[in-house]
Short mmCIF file of all heavy atoms in Angstrom, two decimals:
data_model
loop_
_atom_site.label_atom_id
_atom_site.label_comp_id
_atom_site.label_asym_id
_atom_site.label_seq_id
_atom_site.Cartn_x
_atom_site.Cartn_y
_atom_site.Cartn_z
N PRO X 218 61.01 -1.77 -41.02
CA PRO X 218 59.82 -2.34 -40.52
C PRO X 218 58.69 -1.22 -40.43
O PRO X 218 58.87 -0.07 -40.15
CB PRO X 218 60.22 -2.92 -39.20
CG PRO X 218 61.26 -2.05 -38.73
CD PRO X 218 62.06 -1.63 -40.04
N ASP X 219 57.40 -1.76 -40.37
CA ASP X 219 56.24 -1.00 -40.15
C ASP X 219 56.13 -0.62 -38.72
O ASP X 219 55.44 0.33 -38.29
CB ASP X 219 55.07 -1.58 -40.69
CG ASP X 219 55.15 -1.98 -42.14
OD1 ASP X 219 55.41 -1.07 -42.90
OD2 ASP X 219 55.05 -3.21 -42.47
N HIS X 220 56.73 -1.48 -37.85
CA HIS X 220 56.55 -1.47 -36.38
C HIS X 220 57.62 -2.09 -35.68
O HIS X 220 58.29 -2.97 -36.17
CB HIS X 220 55.14 -2.13 -36.08
CG HIS X 220 54.66 -2.18 -34.67
ND1 HIS X 220 55.33 -3.06 -33.66
CD2 HIS X 220 53.79 -1.56 -34.03
CE1 HIS X 220 54.62 -2.81 -32.61
NE2 HIS X 220 53.75 -1.96 -32.77
N ILE X 221 58.02 -1.54 -34.58
CA ILE X 221 59.03 -2.23 -33.66
C ILE X 221 58.58 -2.20 -32.27
O ILE X 221 57.92 -1.20 -31.75
CB ILE X 221 60.42 -1.28 -33.83
CG1 ILE X 221 61.08 -1.69 -35.03
CG2 ILE X 221 61.31 -1.68 -32.61
CD1 ILE X 221 62.46 -1.00 -35.18
N SER X 222 58.78 -3.34 -31.60
CA SER X 222 58.56 -3.46 -30.13
C SER X 222 60.01 -3.66 -29.55
O SER X 222 60.86 -4.43 -30.06
CB SER X 222 57.73 -4.68 -29.87
OG SER X 222 56.45 -4.52 -30.32
N ALA X 223 60.31 -2.96 -28.47
CA ALA X 223 61.58 -3.09 -27.72
C ALA X 223 61.28 -3.22 -26.24
O ALA X 223 60.81 -2.36 -25.63
CB ALA X 223 62.49 -1.90 -27.95
N TYR X 224 61.57 -4.56 -25.74
CA TYR X 224 61.21 -4.90 -24.39
C TYR X 224 62.47 -5.18 -23.59
O TYR X 224 63.51 -5.77 -24.01
CB TYR X 224 60.47 -6.18 -24.36
CG TYR X 224 59.15 -6.00 -25.10
CD1 TYR X 224 58.90 -6.71 -26.35
CD2 TYR X 224 58.05 -5.24 -24.57
CE1 TYR X 224 57.69 -6.60 -27.00
CE2 TYR X 224 56.88 -5.14 -25.29
CZ TYR X 224 56.66 -5.87 -26.47
OH TYR X 224 55.43 -5.73 -27.17
N ALA X 225 62.50 -4.64 -22.31
CA ALA X 225 63.64 -4.83 -21.45
C ALA X 225 63.47 -6.33 -20.95
O ALA X 225 62.40 -6.80 -20.69
CB ALA X 225 63.43 -3.94 -20.25
N LEU X 226 64.62 -6.91 -20.96
CA LEU X 226 64.74 -8.37 -20.55
C LEU X 226 64.42 -8.41 -18.99
O LEU X 226 65.02 -7.70 -18.21
CB LEU X 226 66.08 -8.98 -20.73
CG LEU X 226 66.33 -10.46 -20.26
CD1 LEU X 226 65.27 -11.44 -21.12
CD2 LEU X 226 67.75 -10.91 -20.35
N ILE X 227 63.40 -9.24 -18.67
CA ILE X 227 63.07 -9.40 -17.32
C ILE X 227 63.49 -10.87 -16.94
O ILE X 227 63.14 -11.85 -17.60
CB ILE X 227 61.51 -9.21 -17.14
CG1 ILE X 227 61.18 -7.77 -17.40
CG2 ILE X 227 61.11 -9.68 -15.65
CD1 ILE X 227 59.65 -7.55 -17.33
N ILE X 228 64.18 -11.02 -15.83
CA ILE X 228 64.69 -12.32 -15.40
C ILE X 228 63.60 -12.94 -14.48
O ILE X 228 63.43 -12.50 -13.39
CB ILE X 228 65.92 -12.25 -14.68
CG1 ILE X 228 66.99 -11.50 -15.49
CG2 ILE X 228 66.44 -13.68 -14.26
CD1 ILE X 228 67.29 -12.17 -16.74
N GLU X 229 62.95 -13.98 -14.93
CA GLU X 229 61.79 -14.61 -14.19
C GLU X 229 62.41 -15.75 -13.36
O GLU X 229 63.17 -16.55 -13.85
CB GLU X 229 60.81 -15.10 -15.08
CG GLU X 229 60.07 -14.12 -16.00
CD GLU X 229 59.14 -13.16 -15.34
OE1 GLU X 229 58.95 -13.33 -14.05
OE2 GLU X 229 58.69 -12.20 -15.84
N ASP X 230 61.91 -15.94 -12.14
CA ASP X 230 62.28 -17.05 -11.28
C ASP X 230 61.90 -18.33 -11.99
O ASP X 230 60.94 -18.49 -12.59
CB ASP X 230 61.61 -16.94 -9.93
CG ASP X 230 62.12 -15.77 -9.02
OD1 ASP X 230 63.24 -15.35 -9.40
OD2 ASP X 230 61.46 -15.38 -8.22
N GLY X 231 62.78 -19.27 -11.93
CA GLY X 231 62.55 -20.61 -12.40
C GLY X 231 63.02 -20.87 -13.77
O GLY X 231 62.91 -22.02 -14.31
N THR X 232 63.43 -19.80 -14.48
CA THR X 232 64.04 -19.96 -15.95
C THR X 232 65.52 -20.43 -15.79
O THR X 232 66.18 -20.16 -14.86
CB THR X 232 63.82 -18.64 -16.58
OG1 THR X 232 64.60 -17.64 -16.02
CG2 THR X 232 62.42 -18.19 -16.69
N LYS X 233 65.89 -20.91 -17.00
CA LYS X 233 67.23 -21.30 -17.08
C LYS X 233 68.26 -20.06 -16.97
O LYS X 233 69.24 -20.18 -16.28
CB LYS X 233 67.57 -21.81 -18.51
CG LYS X 233 68.96 -22.23 -18.86
CD LYS X 233 68.98 -22.67 -20.33
CE LYS X 233 70.57 -22.70 -20.72
NZ LYS X 233 70.58 -23.14 -22.18
N LEU X 234 67.84 -18.92 -17.46
CA LEU X 234 68.70 -17.69 -17.41
C LEU X 234 68.85 -17.26 -15.93
O LEU X 234 69.88 -16.74 -15.54
CB LEU X 234 68.18 -16.60 -18.26
CG LEU X 234 69.04 -15.40 -18.48
CD1 LEU X 234 70.37 -15.79 -18.89
CD2 LEU X 234 68.35 -14.42 -19.34
N ALA X 235 67.72 -17.28 -15.26
CA ALA X 235 67.83 -17.00 -13.73
C ALA X 235 68.86 -17.82 -13.03
O ALA X 235 69.55 -17.35 -12.12
CB ALA X 235 66.45 -17.07 -13.16
N ALA X 236 68.81 -19.12 -13.38
CA ALA X 236 69.61 -20.01 -12.66
C ALA X 236 71.15 -19.75 -13.09
O ALA X 236 72.10 -19.81 -12.25
CB ALA X 236 69.43 -21.52 -13.03
N GLN X 237 71.33 -19.38 -14.30
CA GLN X 237 72.76 -19.07 -14.73
C GLN X 237 73.18 -17.85 -14.17
O GLN X 237 74.40 -17.82 -13.75
CB GLN X 237 72.70 -18.79 -16.44
CG GLN X 237 72.48 -20.17 -17.23
CD GLN X 237 72.30 -19.77 -18.61
OE1 GLN X 237 71.59 -18.86 -19.04
NE2 GLN X 237 72.96 -20.66 -19.50
N ILE X 238 72.39 -16.79 -13.93
CA ILE X 238 72.81 -15.62 -13.29
C ILE X 238 73.08 -15.85 -11.76
O ILE X 238 74.19 -15.53 -11.15
CB ILE X 238 71.72 -14.49 -13.35
CG1 ILE X 238 71.77 -14.00 -14.78
CG2 ILE X 238 72.03 -13.31 -12.41
CD1 ILE X 238 70.48 -13.13 -14.95
N ARG X 239 72.31 -16.72 -11.22
CA ARG X 239 72.43 -17.09 -9.75
C ARG X 239 73.79 -17.80 -9.56
O ARG X 239 74.47 -17.57 -8.57
CB ARG X 239 71.27 -17.91 -9.20
CG ARG X 239 71.20 -18.22 -7.80
CD ARG X 239 70.02 -18.88 -7.37
NE ARG X 239 69.77 -20.13 -8.03
CZ ARG X 239 68.80 -20.30 -8.91
NH1 ARG X 239 68.07 -19.32 -9.27
NH2 ARG X 239 68.59 -21.54 -9.44
N ARG X 240 74.07 -18.64 -10.51
CA ARG X 240 75.46 -19.41 -10.36
C ARG X 240 76.61 -18.60 -10.83
O ARG X 240 77.78 -19.05 -10.89
CB ARG X 240 75.34 -20.67 -11.32
CG ARG X 240 74.39 -21.77 -10.73
CD ARG X 240 74.44 -23.07 -11.43
NE ARG X 240 74.30 -22.96 -12.89
CZ ARG X 240 73.13 -23.28 -13.52
NH1 ARG X 240 72.05 -23.63 -12.72
NH2 ARG X 240 72.98 -23.18 -14.84
N GLY X 241 76.44 -17.37 -11.36
CA GLY X 241 77.46 -16.51 -11.76
C GLY X 241 78.01 -16.96 -13.20
O GLY X 241 79.13 -16.34 -13.49
N GLU X 242 77.28 -17.64 -13.92
CA GLU X 242 77.72 -18.08 -15.37
C GLU X 242 77.63 -16.92 -16.28
O GLU X 242 78.40 -16.88 -17.31
CB GLU X 242 76.94 -19.28 -15.75
CG GLU X 242 77.23 -20.57 -14.91
CD GLU X 242 76.17 -21.69 -15.28
OE1 GLU X 242 75.41 -21.53 -16.22
OE2 GLU X 242 76.28 -22.64 -14.58
N VAL X 243 76.66 -16.13 -16.04
CA VAL X 243 76.55 -14.85 -16.84
C VAL X 243 76.15 -13.69 -15.97
O VAL X 243 75.71 -13.83 -14.84
CB VAL X 243 75.34 -14.97 -17.93
CG1 VAL X 243 75.60 -16.04 -18.89
CG2 VAL X 243 73.96 -15.26 -17.22
N PRO X 244 76.56 -12.46 -16.39
CA PRO X 244 76.36 -11.36 -15.45
C PRO X 244 74.80 -11.07 -15.23
O PRO X 244 74.02 -11.45 -16.09
CB PRO X 244 77.00 -10.11 -16.20
CG PRO X 244 77.07 -10.65 -17.68
CD PRO X 244 77.23 -12.13 -17.63
N GLY X 245 74.41 -10.34 -14.32
CA GLY X 245 73.12 -9.98 -14.05
C GLY X 245 72.67 -8.73 -14.86
O GLY X 245 73.56 -8.31 -15.68
N ILE X 246 71.52 -8.27 -14.64
CA ILE X 246 71.09 -7.11 -15.35
C ILE X 246 71.00 -5.89 -14.48
O ILE X 246 71.04 -5.99 -13.22
CB ILE X 246 69.69 -7.38 -16.07
CG1 ILE X 246 68.63 -7.62 -14.89
CG2 ILE X 246 69.77 -8.49 -17.03
CD1 ILE X 246 67.20 -7.83 -15.45
N ASP X 247 70.99 -4.59 -15.05
CA ASP X 247 71.16 -3.44 -14.31
C ASP X 247 70.09 -2.48 -14.80
O ASP X 247 70.06 -2.25 -15.95
CB ASP X 247 72.48 -2.84 -14.62
CG ASP X 247 72.76 -1.53 -13.86
OD1 ASP X 247 72.98 -1.65 -12.60
OD2 ASP X 247 72.75 -0.53 -14.62
N ASP X 248 69.36 -1.81 -13.84
CA ASP X 248 68.36 -0.90 -14.16
C ASP X 248 68.89 0.33 -14.98
O ASP X 248 68.21 0.88 -15.92
CB ASP X 248 67.54 -0.39 -13.02
CG ASP X 248 66.74 -1.46 -12.35
OD1 ASP X 248 66.52 -2.50 -13.09
OD2 ASP X 248 66.35 -1.34 -11.19
N ASP X 249 70.06 0.86 -14.43
CA ASP X 249 70.71 1.90 -15.17
C ASP X 249 70.95 1.62 -16.64
O ASP X 249 70.87 2.36 -17.67
CB ASP X 249 71.86 2.47 -14.61
CG ASP X 249 71.57 3.10 -13.29
OD1 ASP X 249 70.37 3.69 -13.06
OD2 ASP X 249 72.53 3.29 -12.40
N ASP X 250 71.46 0.40 -16.94
CA ASP X 250 71.79 -0.18 -18.28
C ASP X 250 70.53 -0.14 -19.13
O ASP X 250 70.44 0.18 -20.24
CB ASP X 250 72.43 -1.44 -18.18
CG ASP X 250 72.65 -2.18 -19.57
OD1 ASP X 250 73.46 -1.51 -20.27
OD2 ASP X 250 72.05 -3.16 -19.88
N HIS X 251 69.38 -0.59 -18.54
CA HIS X 251 68.12 -0.67 -19.22
C HIS X 251 67.67 0.67 -19.59
O HIS X 251 67.17 0.93 -20.70
CB HIS X 251 67.10 -1.33 -18.21
CG HIS X 251 67.12 -2.88 -18.35
ND1 HIS X 251 66.15 -3.62 -17.50
CD2 HIS X 251 67.89 -3.73 -18.95
CE1 HIS X 251 66.32 -4.87 -17.79
NE2 HIS X 251 67.41 -4.99 -18.64
N ALA X 252 67.83 1.74 -18.69
CA ALA X 252 67.44 2.99 -18.92
C ALA X 252 68.22 3.62 -20.08
O ALA X 252 67.68 4.35 -21.02
CB ALA X 252 67.60 3.93 -17.75
N ASP X 253 69.53 3.44 -20.21
CA ASP X 253 70.33 4.02 -21.12
C ASP X 253 70.01 3.34 -22.59
O ASP X 253 69.80 4.01 -23.53
CB ASP X 253 71.93 3.58 -20.94
CG ASP X 253 72.40 4.38 -19.83
OD1 ASP X 253 71.84 5.42 -19.45
OD2 ASP X 253 73.48 4.01 -19.34
N LYS X 254 69.64 2.04 -22.52
CA LYS X 254 69.19 1.39 -23.76
C LYS X 254 67.93 1.78 -24.25
O LYS X 254 67.65 1.86 -25.41
CB LYS X 254 69.29 -0.18 -23.56
CG LYS X 254 70.82 -0.57 -23.50
CD LYS X 254 70.99 -1.99 -23.20
CE LYS X 254 72.55 -2.38 -23.24
NZ LYS X 254 72.86 -3.82 -22.65
N TYR X 255 67.01 2.04 -23.33
CA TYR X 255 65.63 2.48 -23.73
C TYR X 255 65.82 3.88 -24.34
O TYR X 255 65.24 4.22 -25.41
CB TYR X 255 64.75 2.52 -22.48
CG TYR X 255 63.40 2.99 -22.82
CD1 TYR X 255 62.34 2.16 -23.51
CD2 TYR X 255 63.00 4.49 -22.99
CE1 TYR X 255 61.14 2.61 -23.87
CE2 TYR X 255 61.80 4.78 -23.37
CZ TYR X 255 60.85 3.87 -23.81
OH TYR X 255 59.65 4.34 -24.29
N GLU X 256 66.54 4.77 -23.76
CA GLU X 256 66.69 6.07 -24.26
C GLU X 256 67.39 6.02 -25.73
O GLU X 256 66.96 6.79 -26.68
CB GLU X 256 67.60 6.93 -23.35
CG GLU X 256 66.89 7.37 -22.03
CD GLU X 256 67.84 8.14 -21.12
OE1 GLU X 256 69.13 8.07 -21.31
OE2 GLU X 256 67.30 8.87 -20.35
N LEU X 257 68.31 5.12 -25.95
CA LEU X 257 68.94 5.03 -27.19
C LEU X 257 67.90 4.46 -28.23
O LEU X 257 67.88 4.97 -29.35
CB LEU X 257 70.09 4.15 -27.14
CG LEU X 257 70.81 3.80 -28.36
CD1 LEU X 257 71.45 5.12 -28.97
CD2 LEU X 257 71.98 2.73 -28.19
N ALA X 258 67.10 3.51 -27.83
CA ALA X 258 66.06 2.94 -28.64
C ALA X 258 65.11 4.08 -29.04
O ALA X 258 64.80 4.24 -30.22
CB ALA X 258 65.25 1.85 -27.91
N ASP X 259 64.61 4.92 -28.18
CA ASP X 259 63.69 5.91 -28.55
C ASP X 259 64.34 6.93 -29.52
O ASP X 259 63.67 7.38 -30.46
CB ASP X 259 63.18 6.60 -27.26
CG ASP X 259 62.02 7.57 -27.64
OD1 ASP X 259 61.00 7.10 -28.05
OD2 ASP X 259 62.24 8.81 -27.45
N GLU X 260 65.60 7.23 -29.24
CA GLU X 260 66.19 8.29 -30.09
C GLU X 260 66.33 7.75 -31.52
O GLU X 260 65.99 8.32 -32.43
CB GLU X 260 67.68 8.53 -29.56
CG GLU X 260 68.60 9.38 -30.47
CD GLU X 260 70.07 9.37 -29.95
OE1 GLU X 260 70.25 9.06 -28.77
OE2 GLU X 260 70.85 9.94 -30.74
N LEU X 261 66.90 6.46 -31.67
CA LEU X 261 67.16 5.92 -33.04
C LEU X 261 65.85 5.60 -33.73
O LEU X 261 65.73 5.86 -34.94
CB LEU X 261 68.02 4.72 -32.95
CG LEU X 261 69.46 4.97 -32.38
CD1 LEU X 261 70.33 3.71 -32.46
CD2 LEU X 261 70.18 6.08 -33.26
N ILE X 262 64.89 5.09 -33.03
CA ILE X 262 63.62 4.69 -33.72
C ILE X 262 62.84 5.85 -34.10
O ILE X 262 62.31 5.99 -35.20
CB ILE X 262 62.79 3.72 -32.83
CG1 ILE X 262 63.49 2.46 -32.56
CG2 ILE X 262 61.48 3.42 -33.38
CD1 ILE X 262 63.01 1.53 -31.36
N THR X 263 62.84 6.86 -33.23
CA THR X 263 62.21 8.07 -33.69
C THR X 263 62.83 8.77 -34.83
O THR X 263 62.08 9.33 -35.78
CB THR X 263 62.10 9.06 -32.49
OG1 THR X 263 61.33 8.45 -31.30
CG2 THR X 263 61.41 10.41 -32.74
N LYS X 264 64.03 8.84 -34.86
CA LYS X 264 64.94 9.50 -35.99
C LYS X 264 64.65 8.67 -37.19
O LYS X 264 64.62 9.38 -38.19
CB LYS X 264 66.41 9.33 -35.59
CG LYS X 264 67.22 10.15 -36.59
CD LYS X 264 68.75 10.01 -36.16
CE LYS X 264 69.73 10.77 -37.22
NZ LYS X 264 71.10 10.73 -36.77
N ALA X 265 64.29 7.42 -37.14
CA ALA X 265 64.00 6.63 -38.32
C ALA X 265 62.66 6.76 -38.90
O ALA X 265 62.25 6.28 -39.88
CB ALA X 265 64.26 5.23 -38.05
N GLY X 266 61.82 7.60 -38.13
CA GLY X 266 60.45 7.89 -38.67
C GLY X 266 59.33 7.20 -38.01
O GLY X 266 58.20 7.31 -38.52
N LEU X 267 59.59 6.39 -36.95
CA LEU X 267 58.59 5.68 -36.22
C LEU X 267 58.30 6.48 -34.91
O LEU X 267 59.20 6.93 -34.24
CB LEU X 267 59.01 4.28 -35.85
CG LEU X 267 58.97 3.29 -37.08
CD1 LEU X 267 60.26 3.37 -37.80
CD2 LEU X 267 58.85 1.77 -36.58
N ALA X 268 56.98 6.51 -34.49
CA ALA X 268 56.66 7.22 -33.30
C ALA X 268 56.15 6.26 -32.25
O ALA X 268 55.48 5.33 -32.55
CB ALA X 268 55.57 8.27 -33.62
N TRP X 269 56.50 6.57 -30.99
CA TRP X 269 56.00 5.77 -29.86
C TRP X 269 54.55 5.98 -29.71
O TRP X 269 54.04 7.04 -29.81
CB TRP X 269 56.76 5.93 -28.57
CG TRP X 269 56.35 7.24 -27.74
CD1 TRP X 269 56.70 8.48 -27.95
CD2 TRP X 269 55.50 7.20 -26.63
NE1 TRP X 269 56.14 9.21 -27.08
CE2 TRP X 269 55.37 8.46 -26.17
CE3 TRP X 269 54.83 6.16 -25.90
CZ2 TRP X 269 54.60 8.86 -25.05
CZ3 TRP X 269 54.09 6.59 -24.78
CH2 TRP X 269 54.00 7.90 -24.37
N TYR X 270 53.84 4.86 -29.41
CA TYR X 270 52.40 5.01 -29.10
C TYR X 270 52.05 4.24 -27.82
O TYR X 270 50.96 4.33 -27.19
CB TYR X 270 51.49 4.51 -30.26
CG TYR X 270 51.64 2.92 -30.48
CD1 TYR X 270 50.61 2.06 -29.84
CD2 TYR X 270 52.49 2.49 -31.35
CE1 TYR X 270 50.73 0.74 -30.07
CE2 TYR X 270 52.68 1.14 -31.51
CZ TYR X 270 51.71 0.30 -31.02
OH TYR X 270 51.96 -1.13 -31.17
N GLU X 271 53.00 3.40 -27.31
CA GLU X 271 52.97 2.69 -26.11
C GLU X 271 54.38 2.66 -25.53
O GLU X 271 55.31 2.74 -26.45
CB GLU X 271 52.33 1.39 -26.22
CG GLU X 271 51.97 0.69 -24.85
CD GLU X 271 53.15 -0.11 -24.33
OE1 GLU X 271 54.05 -0.47 -24.95
OE2 GLU X 271 53.11 -0.32 -23.04
N VAL X 272 54.65 2.57 -24.27
CA VAL X 272 55.89 2.64 -23.82
C VAL X 272 57.02 1.82 -24.56
O VAL X 272 58.15 2.31 -24.85
CB VAL X 272 55.91 2.33 -22.25
CG1 VAL X 272 57.38 2.08 -21.80
CG2 VAL X 272 55.40 3.40 -21.55
N SER X 273 56.61 0.60 -24.90
CA SER X 273 57.53 -0.33 -25.62
C SER X 273 57.33 -0.52 -27.06
O SER X 273 57.89 -1.46 -27.69
CB SER X 273 57.46 -1.69 -24.85
OG SER X 273 57.92 -1.55 -23.40
N ASN X 274 56.56 0.41 -27.67
CA ASN X 274 56.09 0.16 -29.02
C ASN X 274 56.12 1.33 -29.83
O ASN X 274 55.66 2.48 -29.44
CB ASN X 274 54.61 -0.44 -29.07
CG ASN X 274 54.60 -1.93 -28.56
OD1 ASN X 274 54.95 -2.88 -29.25
ND2 ASN X 274 54.35 -2.07 -27.20
N TRP X 275 56.64 1.25 -31.08
CA TRP X 275 56.66 2.29 -32.05
C TRP X 275 56.12 1.94 -33.34
O TRP X 275 56.35 0.76 -33.75
CB TRP X 275 58.18 2.76 -32.23
CG TRP X 275 58.87 3.42 -31.13
CD1 TRP X 275 59.19 4.76 -30.93
CD2 TRP X 275 59.42 2.64 -29.93
NE1 TRP X 275 59.90 4.89 -29.67
CE2 TRP X 275 60.02 3.67 -29.10
CE3 TRP X 275 59.51 1.37 -29.59
CZ2 TRP X 275 60.66 3.30 -28.05
CZ3 TRP X 275 60.14 0.99 -28.41
CH2 TRP X 275 60.67 1.92 -27.66
N ALA X 276 55.48 2.80 -34.11
CA ALA X 276 54.78 2.48 -35.36
C ALA X 276 55.21 3.59 -36.41
O ALA X 276 55.35 4.85 -36.09
CB ALA X 276 53.28 2.33 -35.34
N ARG X 277 55.30 3.19 -37.68
CA ARG X 277 55.62 4.19 -38.74
C ARG X 277 54.52 5.18 -38.93
O ARG X 277 54.73 6.35 -39.19
CB ARG X 277 56.01 3.49 -40.09
CG ARG X 277 56.70 4.27 -41.03
CD ARG X 277 57.35 3.49 -42.04
NE ARG X 277 58.48 2.67 -41.60
CZ ARG X 277 59.72 3.12 -41.24
NH1 ARG X 277 59.96 4.42 -41.56
NH2 ARG X 277 60.61 2.25 -40.92
N THR X 278 53.25 4.70 -38.92
CA THR X 278 52.13 5.61 -38.91
C THR X 278 51.13 5.16 -37.88
O THR X 278 51.20 3.99 -37.34
CB THR X 278 51.40 5.51 -40.34
OG1 THR X 278 50.73 4.19 -40.47
CG2 THR X 278 52.41 5.65 -41.48
N PRO X 279 50.17 5.89 -37.48
CA PRO X 279 49.17 5.60 -36.42
C PRO X 279 48.46 4.30 -36.84
O PRO X 279 48.07 3.51 -36.03
CB PRO X 279 48.28 6.73 -36.37
CG PRO X 279 49.13 7.97 -36.69
CD PRO X 279 50.03 7.41 -37.77
N GLY X 280 48.16 4.21 -38.22
CA GLY X 280 47.41 3.07 -38.70
C GLY X 280 48.17 1.72 -38.48
O GLY X 280 47.72 0.63 -38.77
N GLN X 281 49.53 1.87 -38.36
CA GLN X 281 50.39 0.58 -38.22
C GLN X 281 50.69 0.24 -36.68
O GLN X 281 51.45 -0.72 -36.54
CB GLN X 281 51.74 0.81 -39.04
CG GLN X 281 51.45 0.82 -40.51
CD GLN X 281 52.57 1.26 -41.28
OE1 GLN X 281 53.16 2.31 -41.04
NE2 GLN X 281 52.87 0.64 -42.57
N ALA X 282 50.15 0.97 -35.88
CA ALA X 282 50.18 0.57 -34.42
C ALA X 282 49.46 -0.90 -34.46
O ALA X 282 48.51 -1.08 -35.05
CB ALA X 282 49.46 1.51 -33.59
N CYS X 283 49.87 -1.66 -33.31
CA CYS X 283 49.10 -2.93 -33.25
C CYS X 283 47.91 -2.75 -32.48
O CYS X 283 47.77 -2.49 -31.30
CB CYS X 283 50.11 -3.82 -32.32
SG CYS X 283 49.29 -5.50 -32.05
N ARG X 284 46.80 -2.85 -33.31
CA ARG X 284 45.40 -2.55 -32.87
C ARG X 284 45.03 -3.66 -31.80
O ARG X 284 44.28 -3.29 -30.96
CB ARG X 284 44.45 -2.44 -33.96
CG ARG X 284 44.80 -1.41 -35.00
CD ARG X 284 43.65 -0.88 -35.91
NE ARG X 284 42.86 -1.94 -36.56
CZ ARG X 284 43.12 -2.40 -37.84
NH1 ARG X 284 44.12 -1.87 -38.50
NH2 ARG X 284 42.39 -3.32 -38.29
N HIS X 285 45.47 -4.86 -31.92
CA HIS X 285 45.04 -5.83 -31.04
C HIS X 285 45.70 -5.52 -29.64
O HIS X 285 44.87 -5.67 -28.57
CB HIS X 285 45.58 -7.18 -31.41
CG HIS X 285 45.03 -8.35 -30.61
ND1 HIS X 285 43.87 -8.98 -30.83
CD2 HIS X 285 45.73 -8.94 -29.62
CE1 HIS X 285 43.73 -9.97 -29.83
NE2 HIS X 285 44.77 -9.89 -29.13
#
Side-chain angles (χ1 to χ4, degrees):
D219 305 299
H220 182 280
I221 281 186
S222 298
Y224 299 108
L226 179 66
I227 298 174
I228 306 299
E229 301 285 359
D230 290 341
T232 61
K233 173 185 171 183
L234 189 54
Q237 289 175 315
I238 291 174
R239 188 170 60 251
R240 294 192 298 262
E242 297 171 4
V243 296
I246 59 175
D247 177 78
D248 289 343
D249 290 337
D250 176 66
H251 277 183
D253 290 343
K254 287 174 178 172
Y255 182 85
E256 290 179 337
L257 180 62
D259 188 66
E260 175 189 345
L261 296 182
I262 296 172
T263 301
K264 186 177 179 180
L267 289 80
W269 81 278
Y270 67 94
E271 191 276 339
V272 167
S273 299
N274 291 273
W275 293 258
R277 195 164 295 280
T278 68
Q281 289 167 317
C283 180
R284 303 203 308 264
H285 186 83

